[in-house]
Amino acid sequence: MPMRKAGELSDATYRKLAHLMYESIGLSLNASKKPLVSSRLAQRITRLGLDGYEAYFKLIASQEEGGEFQMAVDLLTTNETYFFREAEHFSVLEEELGRTRPESVSIWSAAASFGDESYSIAMLLADMATQGRIGPNWSILGTDISDRVLRSAKTAIYPETRLRHVSLERRRRYCLKGEGDFQGMAKIQDKLTEHVHFGQLNLCRPIEDIGPFDVVFLRNVLIYFDDITKREVVDRVLSRLRVGGLFFIGMAEGRVACDTPLESLSPGAFRKLASKPGSP
Ligand SMILES: C[S@@+](CC[C@H](N)C(=O)[O-])C[C@H]1O[C@@H](n2cnc3c(N)ncnc32)[C@H](O)[C@@H]1O
């Protein structure tokens, strides 16, 4: 049977779709993104046998809490990530923790994707705990809007290519090599996973009572938001970071405007400062 084609994405449907995505997850889709959106959704519409983009819009608008809406989020954002991405940030973190030698450390990876960032941090903290440079009470919370990536993160199984920046010693220490059907895959060992937890969280909604954290990673997610949303998200996230704590955004994301006072340490790395009396 011939497959039904997705047809044309009309301006009216595109505007409704862009509005829905902006209101629900802060995703900023201007007119220039229309060809990208239409090509990313076309295959899915064909696969579902739907009668074009308007039918697809109606479907996702009716399932905003999950189902096909989650699929659309995955298609319109990118979950790209890998272990020790932007390695300089891990050096800044190691230096800071080595200097302060905290008894406990609590870290939030606020756009965790498949969990590569969370487990990279876990490898560093586990090494430092073994060396007695931090105490044994360390934990990492990874959150994301996408339940698909979170389900994968919880399995802690990765293609070895994503571990390309992990040293051989760390791979030996913290990963199990897959065999048979799992050839070419690696599983993160329990001695790390027991310190790492994952949960779903939309950065564009009020944040429930989590933290306060000593360190927050908010890397490579601000690109999806317009300037107003960026500012709101950054201040909302920073409200969960202790004064003096470290804050990381993607190295290419520049200096974000926000109301929370920050000291810039290096590209994408900041320290939260105390607010001046009388300021918000
Ligand atoms: C490119 S990944 C970044 C992964 C990791 N932080 C890194 O730098 O490698 C961006 C992630 O942001 C998530 N995301 C997009 N909008 C979000 C929102 N409103 N709330 C929470 N997560 C969101 C996406 O699902 C995606 O997994």
Side-chain angles (χ1 to χ4, degrees):
M1 199 174 75
M3 294 281 263
R4 197 197 286 259
K5 284 250 170 67
E8 274 240 343
L9 172 57
S10 71
D11 285 346
T13 303
Y14 181 63
R15 274 196 298 273
K16 286 195 281 185
L17 211 119
H19 182 72
L20 174 67
M21 285 298 163
Y22 185 72
E23 285 301 313
S24 44
I25 65 159
L27 184 61
S28 172
L29 297 172
N30 57 24
S32 71
K33 301 246 174 82
K34 189 177 149 194
L36 185 88
V37 170
S38 101
S39 78
R40 288 207 177 162
L41 298 183
Q43 231 186 352
R44 183 71 189 154
I45 291 169
T46 305
R47 176 169 300 174
L48 293 174
L50 290 173
D51 190 18
Y53 291 91
E54 181 64 25
Y56 190 69
F57 165 74
K58 286 191 176 130
L59 178 65
I60 62 172
S62 68
Q63 301 188 347
E64 226 190 289
E65 288 306 311
E68 194 56 34
F69 177 78
Q70 279 287 327
M71 177 58 80
V73 170
D74 281 336
L75 289 170
L76 297 178
T77 58
T78 138
N79 306 113
E80 206 225 327
T81 186
Y82 50 88
F83 280 71
F84 290 97
R85 181 180 194 177
E86 302 182 329
E88 292 81 347
H89 288 164
F90 295 88
S91 307
V92 173
L93 178 61
E94 179 171 10
E95 205 174 294
E96 172 75 7
L97 295 178
R99 191 176 60 73
T100 53
R101 295 182 168 256
E103 211 20 65
S104 65
V105 188
S106 163
I107 298 188
W108 180 21
S109 167
S113 189
F114 294 102
D116 307 40
E117 185 174 86
S118 304
Y119 291 124
S120 304
I121 301 167
M123 287 181 186
L124 173 63
L125 297 194
D127 278 354
M128 294 188 80
T130 306
Q131 295 154 3
R133 295 159 72 201
I134 60 169
N137 301 323
W138 55 271
S139 64
I140 296 153
L141 173 68
T143 63
D144 201 283
I145 182 86
S146 164
D147 58 0
R148 184 181 65 96
V149 296
L150 291 169
R151 264 185 274 122
S152 169
K154 285 176 192 166
T155 68
I157 297 174
Y158 293 92
E160 278 180 355
T161 49
R162 291 246 293 280
L163 292 148
R164 59 194 178 276
H165 297 304
V166 179
S167 68
L168 215 53
E169 300 81 63
R170 277 188 175 146
R171 277 196 237 181
R172 284 203 197 103
R173 222 173 290 145
Y174 299 121
C175 303
L176 300 168
K177 222 173 157 47
E179 289 173 0
D181 286 352
F182 289 95
Q183 191 80 38
M185 309 291 275
K187 166 109 175 64
I188 308 298
Q189 290 196 25
D190 293 352
K191 57 185 164 185
L192 292 193
T193 59
E194 64 195 16
H195 291 267
V196 183
H197 297 95
F198 292 99
Q200 196 172 30
L201 187 146
N202 183 350
L203 294 165
C204 296
R205 295 273 183 267
I207 295 173
E208 56 187 273
D209 200 17
I210 56 168
F213 298 96
D214 303 301
V215 179
V216 174
F217 282 71
L218 181 71
R219 304 191 309 163
N220 302 303
V221 62
L222 295 172
I223 35 161
Y224 301 123
F225 308 140
D226 62 12
D227 286 347
I228 296 173
T229 311
K230 263 186 207 171
R231 191 182 194 108
E232 285 170 0
V233 167
V234 168
D235 281 321
R236 187 176 296 130
V237 165
L238 285 173
S239 72
R240 307 276 113 212
L241 177 65
R242 288 201 172 91
V243 170
L246 295 182
F247 176 56
F248 296 101
I249 60 171
M251 293 182 75
E253 290 175 304
R255 163 134 211 175
V256 291
C258 62
D259 292 330
T260 317
L262 293 173
E263 175 195 357
S264 175
L265 302 176
S266 64
F270 305 88
R271 185 190 310 284
K272 178 173 169 176
L273 302 174
S275 296
K276 294 206 177 78
S279 60

